[in-house]
Structure formats: C-alpha cells, structure tokens
C-alpha cells in the first residue's frame, strides 16, 4: 500500500488496528522504497477514529459485500477526487 501511495503522490497513510508493526524490517522491505510513507503513517484503533476529520472517504475491497453506501467505479472516484482537489487547490 505504501509503495502504491508513493507512486501516486499520496502520503497520508492511516492504518486501522494493524496486525503487524508497520515500522518492522519486514514492513519496510515490502514498502520497496516507500519507507517515508510508512514512517509517517498514523495508527488508529477504529475506522471511525481514522476518518473522523475527513470529508470524503474512498475504499476498495476484493470481497463482495452488501453495502449501504454508494458504490462507484475507480474511474468515477478518481474523477470526483480530482474535481474536489481542483476546487480546493490542494494536492493529496
């Protein structure tokens, strides 16, 4: 995840109840050059804590689930995020 985030210029990695230590040797090896993203990651106990200061949250999953929330394609989410960033003048 850290490597993928770095590839796209994203830095705000938020980990929820991680099953291993994100600053371990193994984690840094898996980050494959994105150690700075891992080093600055925030750790939270719950998803609610992790997203409480955010206005919009996008998530992905490989599992088929029944959600009450709106489901959009990756293309639609990217377009929406780019639009929001353009309106605010901010970069993620």
């Amino acid at each position: 995840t850290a490597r993928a985030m770095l590839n796209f210029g994203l830095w705000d990695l938020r980990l929820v109840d991680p099953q291993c230590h994100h600053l371990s040797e193994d984690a840094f090896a898996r980050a494959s050059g994105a150690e700075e993203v891992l080093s600055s990651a925030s750790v939270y106990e719950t998803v609610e804590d992790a997203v409480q200061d955010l206005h919009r949250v996008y998530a992905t999953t490989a599992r088929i689930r029944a959600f009450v929330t709106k489901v959009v394609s990756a293309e639609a989410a990217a377009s929406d995020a780019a639009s929001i960033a353009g309106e605010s003048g901010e970069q993620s």
Side-chain angles (χ1 to χ4, degrees):
T1 299
R3 178 74 245 174
M5 289 179 66
L6 184 63
N7 287 347
F8 292 96
L10 303 172
W11 292 91
D12 188 15
L13 176 59
R14 297 173 184 218
L15 302 170
V16 178
D17 191 24
Q19 300 304 300
C20 60
H21 198 286
H22 69 288
L23 300 178
S24 69
E25 238 179 81
D26 186 47
F28 281 119
R30 291 173 189 259
S32 187
E35 292 85 3
E36 194 170 338
V37 174
L38 275 184
S39 295
S40 64
S42 302
V43 178
Y44 299 89
E45 289 185 24
T46 67
V47 172
E48 290 81 8
D49 290 341
V51 301
Q52 61 89 21
D53 64 325
L54 303 175
H55 299 283
R56 191 162 300 193
V57 176
Y58 299 96
T60 61
T61 183
R63 298 179 189 156
I64 298 173
R65 300 178 185 192
F67 280 109
V68 177
T69 35
K70 179 180 173 185
V71 176
V72 298
S73 69
E75 292 82 4
S79 177
D80 187 46
S83 174
I84 292 167
E87 291 171 8
S88 68
E90 294 181 18
Q91 294 182 352
S92 298

